[in-house]
Amino acid sequence: MSVSILVTDKKSDLSPAQVNVVPVDGKRKIKAGLPKATDDFLRASMVERGFKGEWGSGLLFLAKSRGSQYWSVIGLGIESGEAKRSEGMRRGLAQVIGDVKRYGLDTLSVDLRGLSDAADLAAAVAEAARLSGYSFVEYSKSLRQKQAKQSVRKVIILVDMDAKGEAAGRVREVVNVMSGVDLARSLVNSPAEEMSPQKLAETAKEIVSNSKSKEMSVEILDEKQAEKAGLSAFLAVAKGSENPPRFIHLTYSPKEKAEKRVFIVGKGITFDSGGLSLKPANYMETMKMDMAGAAATLGLFSVIEKLALKVEVHGIIAACENMPSGKAYRPGDILATKSGKTIEVANTDAEGRITLADALAYAAESKPDVIIDLATLTGACMVALGETVAGLFSNDDELAKKILAAAGEAGEGMAHLPMPEEYRTLLESSVADLRNISSSDYGGAITAAMFLREFVGKVAWAHVDIAGPAFFTHGRLPYYGVGATGYGVRPLALYLKRI
Ligand code: BES
Ligand code: MN
Ligand code: ZN
């Protein structure tokens, strides 16, 4: 069961809470208007423990008085901007939740009275509670038992009376999107043995059959149909695997006529062995996550009806497995693509951009207003930006701005990277229109993005390289454990809502 979240303006609703959480600014100042004795006690406790209210930190301590058993403080920093305060809340609360679980407690309250950004912070509380409440336990009984013993069941958010409506609305929005994040995480965490291209297609079908309105539909192309549709580069990547490929096209069209059409394209390599350009064992270990872009797309579509969008949204996934075999595509092969451009395969491990070339051309063909692709595309992007920050590339500055803003609001790291025209020559081939890897050792995330750009024509397009933040092999942020993060679902939902 996932955590239940209540927004209230009644102090009496706090009574079940075992832990009372209050945010503090960088001067150990608490705005909630607590009784003086409580305020003094918390202040003294912070001094004693050397807690200065540092941004994103959280501290738990035993209560002295009756009532709840514990108090906790969370640092939001001094005068930090709104998005930063929200992220401080997510990180601080996630740390506190970690302690709460270890202590075997399950109910906490967060006191947001007296804060002008209470609605933002309430949303952040809900996000942190849901993100840190996620666990992937399907494959282990002992993990399931541990989860049953250690999980937060209830979070009560206390706000001033006049903030309650907005805060409750924001929390509802978060809760609506969060099940999509959970779905994305579980699809990525599932082993590639299970999460085949066919399974992704079945998931897309389930999403549509579970939908309540007639606003959703899905079209699945098998190999033959994909060939007819001209997706031959995609099919070349798929050839080495025993698991047949599936090309997935989801559509959400709201009842009221939409003014804009947006295509979301997710990289869907269910396992990336590298193909004949085989990866070394240690690089292959986590490659079940190479469908994280597809998972984010499916996660988004699983909640899209609840977002009350005014846009028509399409989700495109070219799902296949990159495997070596006697049937596999080879270095040196020259591939036809849907766009008509040909690709020389220099390295079968640069497979994502080949499948995306066809998926993007397919999307561009229906002349949408915007295409956004999410792809675990390059290790080079992780070299450039580390594990928590995604790379953003775009041929449209306005679009880039909007996506960056949505990511910032969601607390998902994203940096805008350039596509310098002089790098275009690095993709030139002596036998085809393009080569699938750059002739330089440097700037691999950029040249990969510039490769994709060749297939979107004049459509406003953004590419998000999520190789880093889609999956953590170490706990890199307090509200995620090890494994999939569901990166992209929350910013996409925000971006679409703002249109
Ligand atoms: N799926 C990988 C990229 C990746 C690496 C994602 C690490 C997540 C973590 C992609 O298909 C790939 O193999 N890229 C190569 C490109 C190279 C052959 C030009 C890479 O990054 O090494
Ligand atoms: Mn690869
Ligand atoms: Zn890949």
Side-chain angles (χ1 to χ4, degrees), residues 437-464:
I437 58 169
S438 161
S439 52
S440 163
D441 288 341
Y442 305 107
I446 294 176
T447 47
M450 293 179 77
F451 182 96
L452 299 183
R453 190 181 64 174
E454 294 292 315
F455 298 92
V456 295
K458 291 203 168 64
V459 181
W461 154 80
H463 155 59
V464 189

PDB file of all heavy atoms in Angstrom, residues 437-464:
ATOM      1  N   ILE A 437      28.630   6.714 -35.330  1.00  0.00           N
ATOM      2  CA  ILE A 437      29.442   7.266 -34.234  1.00  0.00           C
ATOM      3  C   ILE A 437      30.320   8.396 -34.771  1.00  0.00           C
ATOM      4  O   ILE A 437      30.645   8.457 -35.951  1.00  0.00           O
ATOM      5  CB  ILE A 437      30.317   6.224 -33.508  1.00  0.00           C
ATOM      6  CG1 ILE A 437      31.253   5.521 -34.471  1.00  0.00           C
ATOM      7  CG2 ILE A 437      29.464   5.215 -32.755  1.00  0.00           C
ATOM      8  CD1 ILE A 437      32.313   4.672 -33.776  1.00  0.00           C
ATOM      9  N   SER A 438      30.719   9.244 -33.854  1.00  0.00           N
ATOM     10  CA  SER A 438      31.535  10.410 -34.194  1.00  0.00           C
ATOM     11  C   SER A 438      32.971   9.978 -34.480  1.00  0.00           C
ATOM     12  O   SER A 438      33.446   8.973 -33.949  1.00  0.00           O
ATOM     13  CB  SER A 438      31.493  11.383 -33.028  1.00  0.00           C
ATOM     14  OG  SER A 438      32.552  12.296 -33.093  1.00  0.00           O
ATOM     15  N   SER A 439      33.667  10.746 -35.306  1.00  0.00           N
ATOM     16  CA  SER A 439      35.075  10.441 -35.559  1.00  0.00           C
ATOM     17  C   SER A 439      35.986  11.089 -34.521  1.00  0.00           C
ATOM     18  O   SER A 439      37.203  10.982 -34.604  1.00  0.00           O
ATOM     19  CB  SER A 439      35.465  10.898 -36.970  1.00  0.00           C
ATOM     20  OG  SER A 439      35.105  12.253 -37.152  1.00  0.00           O
ATOM     21  N   SER A 440      35.392  11.752 -33.515  1.00  0.00           N
ATOM     22  CA  SER A 440      36.192  12.329 -32.425  1.00  0.00           C
ATOM     23  C   SER A 440      35.939  11.541 -31.142  1.00  0.00           C
ATOM     24  O   SER A 440      34.857  10.971 -30.957  1.00  0.00           O
ATOM     25  CB  SER A 440      35.801  13.788 -32.207  1.00  0.00           C
ATOM     26  OG  SER A 440      36.255  14.241 -30.947  1.00  0.00           O
ATOM     27  N   ASP A 441      36.909  11.522 -30.237  1.00  0.00           N
ATOM     28  CA  ASP A 441      36.729  10.864 -28.941  1.00  0.00           C
ATOM     29  C   ASP A 441      35.931  11.734 -27.969  1.00  0.00           C
ATOM     30  O   ASP A 441      35.565  11.274 -26.888  1.00  0.00           O
ATOM     31  CB  ASP A 441      38.094  10.579 -28.298  1.00  0.00           C
ATOM     32  CG  ASP A 441      38.825   9.463 -29.014  1.00  0.00           C
ATOM     33  OD1 ASP A 441      38.163   8.690 -29.731  1.00  0.00           O
ATOM     34  OD2 ASP A 441      40.066   9.370 -28.869  1.00  0.00           O
ATOM     35  N   TYR A 442      35.698  12.972 -28.335  1.00  0.00           N
ATOM     36  CA  TYR A 442      35.134  13.920 -27.369  1.00  0.00           C
ATOM     37  C   TYR A 442      33.732  14.373 -27.761  1.00  0.00           C
ATOM     38  O   TYR A 442      33.339  14.312 -28.917  1.00  0.00           O
ATOM     39  CB  TYR A 442      36.065  15.132 -27.236  1.00  0.00           C
ATOM     40  CG  TYR A 442      37.468  14.718 -26.884  1.00  0.00           C
ATOM     41  CD1 TYR A 442      38.499  14.778 -27.818  1.00  0.00           C
ATOM     42  CD2 TYR A 442      37.746  14.210 -25.611  1.00  0.00           C
ATOM     43  CE1 TYR A 442      39.776  14.363 -27.490  1.00  0.00           C
ATOM     44  CE2 TYR A 442      39.020  13.792 -25.279  1.00  0.00           C
ATOM     45  CZ  TYR A 442      40.044  13.866 -26.223  1.00  0.00           C
ATOM     46  OH  TYR A 442      41.292  13.444 -25.894  1.00  0.00           O
ATOM     47  N   GLY A 443      33.007  14.854 -26.783  1.00  0.00           N
ATOM     48  CA  GLY A 443      31.678  15.438 -27.061  1.00  0.00           C
ATOM     49  C   GLY A 443      30.648  14.431 -27.535  1.00  0.00           C
ATOM     50  O   GLY A 443      29.769  14.754 -28.327  1.00  0.00           O
ATOM     51  N   GLY A 444      30.720  13.207 -27.022  1.00  0.00           N
ATOM     52  CA  GLY A 444      29.849  12.140 -27.513  1.00  0.00           C
ATOM     53  C   GLY A 444      28.357  12.363 -27.285  1.00  0.00           C
ATOM     54  O   GLY A 444      27.527  11.918 -28.085  1.00  0.00           O
ATOM     55  N   ALA A 445      27.997  13.056 -26.198  1.00  0.00           N
ATOM     56  CA  ALA A 445      26.571  13.319 -25.953  1.00  0.00           C
ATOM     57  C   ALA A 445      26.052  14.299 -26.993  1.00  0.00           C
ATOM     58  O   ALA A 445      24.913  14.194 -27.465  1.00  0.00           O
ATOM     59  CB  ALA A 445      26.367  13.880 -24.546  1.00  0.00           C
ATOM     60  N   ILE A 446      26.911  15.238 -27.367  1.00  0.00           N
ATOM     61  CA  ILE A 446      26.517  16.280 -28.322  1.00  0.00           C
ATOM     62  C   ILE A 446      26.388  15.698 -29.726  1.00  0.00           C
ATOM     63  O   ILE A 446      25.391  15.940 -30.426  1.00  0.00           O
ATOM     64  CB  ILE A 446      27.557  17.426 -28.316  1.00  0.00           C
ATOM     65  CG1 ILE A 446      27.533  18.133 -26.954  1.00  0.00           C
ATOM     66  CG2 ILE A 446      27.293  18.399 -29.458  1.00  0.00           C
ATOM     67  CD1 ILE A 446      28.575  19.226 -26.793  1.00  0.00           C
ATOM     68  N   THR A 447      27.368  14.920 -30.145  1.00  0.00           N
ATOM     69  CA  THR A 447      27.290  14.384 -31.507  1.00  0.00           C
ATOM     70  C   THR A 447      26.122  13.405 -31.634  1.00  0.00           C
ATOM     71  O   THR A 447      25.491  13.327 -32.687  1.00  0.00           O
ATOM     72  CB  THR A 447      28.623  13.719 -31.927  1.00  0.00           C
ATOM     73  OG1 THR A 447      29.075  12.869 -30.869  1.00  0.00           O
ATOM     74  CG2 THR A 447      29.688  14.774 -32.210  1.00  0.00           C
ATOM     75  N   ALA A 448      25.813  12.698 -30.543  1.00  0.00           N
ATOM     76  CA  ALA A 448      24.641  11.809 -30.580  1.00  0.00           C
ATOM     77  C   ALA A 448      23.371  12.631 -30.777  1.00  0.00           C
ATOM     78  O   ALA A 448      22.500  12.269 -31.573  1.00  0.00           O
ATOM     79  CB  ALA A 448      24.553  11.001 -29.282  1.00  0.00           C
ATOM     80  N   ALA A 449      23.281  13.742 -30.065  1.00  0.00           N
ATOM     81  CA  ALA A 449      22.109  14.621 -30.200  1.00  0.00           C
ATOM     82  C   ALA A 449      22.033  15.175 -31.625  1.00  0.00           C
ATOM     83  O   ALA A 449      20.946  15.244 -32.220  1.00  0.00           O
ATOM     84  CB  ALA A 449      22.181  15.763 -29.189  1.00  0.00           C
ATOM     85  N   MET A 450      23.183  15.550 -32.182  1.00  0.00           N
ATOM     86  CA  MET A 450      23.189  16.122 -33.533  1.00  0.00           C
ATOM     87  C   MET A 450      22.829  15.072 -34.579  1.00  0.00           C
ATOM     88  O   MET A 450      22.246  15.377 -35.617  1.00  0.00           O
ATOM     89  CB  MET A 450      24.547  16.768 -33.823  1.00  0.00           C
ATOM     90  CG  MET A 450      24.761  18.000 -32.938  1.00  0.00           C
ATOM     91  SD  MET A 450      26.347  18.817 -33.170  1.00  0.00           S
ATOM     92  CE  MET A 450      26.079  19.685 -34.698  1.00  0.00           C
ATOM     93  N   PHE A 451      23.149  13.816 -34.268  1.00  0.00           N
ATOM     94  CA  PHE A 451      22.712  12.711 -35.124  1.00  0.00           C
ATOM     95  C   PHE A 451      21.181  12.653 -35.143  1.00  0.00           C
ATOM     96  O   PHE A 451      20.559  12.596 -36.208  1.00  0.00           O
ATOM     97  CB  PHE A 451      23.309  11.398 -34.601  1.00  0.00           C
ATOM     98  CG  PHE A 451      22.970  10.187 -35.427  1.00  0.00           C
ATOM     99  CD1 PHE A 451      23.841   9.721 -36.399  1.00  0.00           C
ATOM    100  CD2 PHE A 451      21.784   9.488 -35.211  1.00  0.00           C
ATOM    101  CE1 PHE A 451      23.530   8.591 -37.166  1.00  0.00           C
ATOM    102  CE2 PHE A 451      21.477   8.367 -35.957  1.00  0.00           C
ATOM    103  CZ  PHE A 451      22.346   7.915 -36.944  1.00  0.00           C
ATOM    104  N   LEU A 452      20.581  12.707 -33.958  1.00  0.00           N
ATOM    105  CA  LEU A 452      19.111  12.661 -33.876  1.00  0.00           C
ATOM    106  C   LEU A 452      18.473  13.827 -34.620  1.00  0.00           C
ATOM    107  O   LEU A 452      17.442  13.674 -35.285  1.00  0.00           O
ATOM    108  CB  LEU A 452      18.655  12.685 -32.405  1.00  0.00           C
ATOM    109  CG  LEU A 452      19.099  11.546 -31.500  1.00  0.00           C
ATOM    110  CD1 LEU A 452      18.488  11.714 -30.111  1.00  0.00           C
ATOM    111  CD2 LEU A 452      18.718  10.190 -32.084  1.00  0.00           C
ATOM    112  N   ARG A 453      19.098  15.005 -34.502  1.00  0.00           N
ATOM    113  CA  ARG A 453      18.549  16.223 -35.120  1.00  0.00           C
ATOM    114  C   ARG A 453      18.328  16.046 -36.621  1.00  0.00           C
ATOM    115  O   ARG A 453      17.430  16.664 -37.200  1.00  0.00           O
ATOM    116  CB  ARG A 453      19.511  17.391 -34.851  1.00  0.00           C
ATOM    117  CG  ARG A 453      18.934  18.739 -35.231  1.00  0.00           C
ATOM    118  CD  ARG A 453      19.915  19.861 -34.983  1.00  0.00           C
ATOM    119  NE  ARG A 453      21.112  19.747 -35.817  1.00  0.00           N
ATOM    120  CZ  ARG A 453      22.070  20.672 -35.876  1.00  0.00           C
ATOM    121  NH1 ARG A 453      21.991  21.750 -35.116  1.00  0.00           N
ATOM    122  NH2 ARG A 453      23.116  20.498 -36.665  1.00  0.00           N
ATOM    123  N   GLU A 454      19.124  15.180 -37.228  1.00  0.00           N
ATOM    124  CA  GLU A 454      19.005  14.940 -38.673  1.00  0.00           C
ATOM    125  C   GLU A 454      17.657  14.354 -39.073  1.00  0.00           C
ATOM    126  O   GLU A 454      17.314  14.324 -40.242  1.00  0.00           O
ATOM    127  CB  GLU A 454      20.108  13.969 -39.132  1.00  0.00           C
ATOM    128  CG  GLU A 454      21.516  14.530 -39.006  1.00  0.00           C
ATOM    129  CD  GLU A 454      21.758  15.679 -39.992  1.00  0.00           C
ATOM    130  OE1 GLU A 454      21.373  15.534 -41.168  1.00  0.00           O
ATOM    131  OE2 GLU A 454      22.307  16.715 -39.571  1.00  0.00           O
ATOM    132  N   PHE A 455      16.899  13.855 -38.088  1.00  0.00           N
ATOM    133  CA  PHE A 455      15.688  13.099 -38.422  1.00  0.00           C
ATOM    134  C   PHE A 455      14.386  13.778 -38.012  1.00  0.00           C
ATOM    135  O   PHE A 455      13.320  13.193 -38.135  1.00  0.00           O
ATOM    136  CB  PHE A 455      15.785  11.691 -37.814  1.00  0.00           C
ATOM    137  CG  PHE A 455      16.955  10.929 -38.377  1.00  0.00           C
ATOM    138  CD1 PHE A 455      18.195  10.951 -37.747  1.00  0.00           C
ATOM    139  CD2 PHE A 455      16.831  10.244 -39.579  1.00  0.00           C
ATOM    140  CE1 PHE A 455      19.287  10.291 -38.287  1.00  0.00           C
ATOM    141  CE2 PHE A 455      17.919   9.583 -40.126  1.00  0.00           C
ATOM    142  CZ  PHE A 455      19.155   9.600 -39.488  1.00  0.00           C
ATOM    143  N   VAL A 456      14.479  15.010 -37.521  1.00  0.00           N
ATOM    144  CA  VAL A 456      13.245  15.683 -37.075  1.00  0.00           C
ATOM    145  C   VAL A 456      12.787  16.760 -38.042  1.00  0.00           C
ATOM    146  O   VAL A 456      11.749  17.408 -37.817  1.00  0.00           O
ATOM    147  CB  VAL A 456      13.383  16.289 -35.653  1.00  0.00           C
ATOM    148  CG1 VAL A 456      13.586  15.176 -34.643  1.00  0.00           C
ATOM    149  CG2 VAL A 456      14.507  17.313 -35.583  1.00  0.00           C
ATOM    150  N   GLY A 457      13.528  16.971 -39.113  1.00  0.00           N
ATOM    151  CA  GLY A 457      13.137  17.995 -40.081  1.00  0.00           C
ATOM    152  C   GLY A 457      13.089  19.360 -39.424  1.00  0.00           C
ATOM    153  O   GLY A 457      13.996  19.726 -38.681  1.00  0.00           O
ATOM    154  N   LYS A 458      11.969  20.072 -39.667  1.00  0.00           N
ATOM    155  CA  LYS A 458      11.855  21.443 -39.150  1.00  0.00           C
ATOM    156  C   LYS A 458      11.018  21.511 -37.873  1.00  0.00           C
ATOM    157  O   LYS A 458      10.725  22.599 -37.367  1.00  0.00           O
ATOM    158  CB  LYS A 458      11.232  22.347 -40.226  1.00  0.00           C
ATOM    159  CG  LYS A 458      12.154  22.588 -41.416  1.00  0.00           C
ATOM    160  CD  LYS A 458      11.771  23.860 -42.149  1.00  0.00           C
ATOM    161  CE  LYS A 458      12.831  24.271 -43.154  1.00  0.00           C
ATOM    162  NZ  LYS A 458      12.999  23.272 -44.260  1.00  0.00           N
ATOM    163  N   VAL A 459      10.618  20.363 -37.357  1.00  0.00           N
ATOM    164  CA  VAL A 459       9.756  20.362 -36.166  1.00  0.00           C
ATOM    165  C   VAL A 459      10.551  20.820 -34.943  1.00  0.00           C
ATOM    166  O   VAL A 459      11.719  20.458 -34.784  1.00  0.00           O
ATOM    167  CB  VAL A 459       9.191  18.934 -35.922  1.00  0.00           C
ATOM    168  CG1 VAL A 459       8.268  18.925 -34.706  1.00  0.00           C
ATOM    169  CG2 VAL A 459       8.460  18.425 -37.150  1.00  0.00           C
ATOM    170  N   ALA A 460       9.913  21.602 -34.070  1.00  0.00           N
ATOM    171  CA  ALA A 460      10.545  21.994 -32.795  1.00  0.00           C
ATOM    172  C   ALA A 460      10.761  20.722 -31.988  1.00  0.00           C
ATOM    173  O   ALA A 460       9.832  19.955 -31.743  1.00  0.00           O
ATOM    174  CB  ALA A 460       9.650  22.969 -32.039  1.00  0.00           C
ATOM    175  N   TRP A 461      11.997  20.518 -31.583  1.00  0.00           N
ATOM    176  CA  TRP A 461      12.361  19.219 -31.000  1.00  0.00           C
ATOM    177  C   TRP A 461      13.306  19.415 -29.813  1.00  0.00           C
ATOM    178  O   TRP A 461      14.144  20.316 -29.833  1.00  0.00           O
ATOM    179  CB  TRP A 461      13.034  18.380 -32.102  1.00  0.00           C
ATOM    180  CG  TRP A 461      13.987  17.324 -31.651  1.00  0.00           C
ATOM    181  CD1 TRP A 461      13.677  16.084 -31.185  1.00  0.00           C
ATOM    182  CD2 TRP A 461      15.429  17.402 -31.649  1.00  0.00           C
ATOM    183  NE1 TRP A 461      14.826  15.386 -30.905  1.00  0.00           N
ATOM    184  CE2 TRP A 461      15.912  16.169 -31.170  1.00  0.00           C
ATOM    185  CE3 TRP A 461      16.348  18.394 -32.004  1.00  0.00           C
ATOM    186  CZ2 TRP A 461      17.280  15.895 -31.030  1.00  0.00           C
ATOM    187  CZ3 TRP A 461      17.704  18.138 -31.860  1.00  0.00           C
ATOM    188  CH2 TRP A 461      18.155  16.889 -31.377  1.00  0.00           C
ATOM    189  N   ALA A 462      13.138  18.577 -28.812  1.00  0.00           N
ATOM    190  CA  ALA A 462      14.082  18.571 -27.692  1.00  0.00           C
ATOM    191  C   ALA A 462      14.454  17.128 -27.392  1.00  0.00           C
ATOM    192  O   ALA A 462      13.612  16.231 -27.464  1.00  0.00           O
ATOM    193  CB  ALA A 462      13.469  19.225 -26.463  1.00  0.00           C
ATOM    194  N   HIS A 463      15.724  16.937 -27.096  1.00  0.00           N
ATOM    195  CA  HIS A 463      16.227  15.608 -26.762  1.00  0.00           C
ATOM    196  C   HIS A 463      16.775  15.657 -25.341  1.00  0.00           C
ATOM    197  O   HIS A 463      17.572  16.541 -25.019  1.00  0.00           O
ATOM    198  CB  HIS A 463      17.311  15.222 -27.769  1.00  0.00           C
ATOM    199  CG  HIS A 463      18.306  14.211 -27.281  1.00  0.00           C
ATOM    200  ND1 HIS A 463      17.937  12.942 -26.858  1.00  0.00           N
ATOM    201  CD2 HIS A 463      19.656  14.272 -27.135  1.00  0.00           C
ATOM    202  CE1 HIS A 463      19.035  12.275 -26.485  1.00  0.00           C
ATOM    203  NE2 HIS A 463      20.081  13.055 -26.647  1.00  0.00           N
ATOM    204  N   VAL A 464      16.334  14.728 -24.498  1.00  0.00           N
ATOM    205  CA  VAL A 464      16.849  14.675 -23.135  1.00  0.00           C
ATOM    206  C   VAL A 464      17.625  13.373 -22.973  1.00  0.00           C
ATOM    207  O   VAL A 464      17.056  12.285 -23.069  1.00  0.00           O
ATOM    208  CB  VAL A 464      15.702  14.753 -22.094  1.00  0.00           C
ATOM    209  CG1 VAL A 464      16.288  14.929 -20.692  1.00  0.00           C
ATOM    210  CG2 VAL A 464      14.743  15.902 -22.411  1.00  0.00           C
TER     211      VAL A 464
END
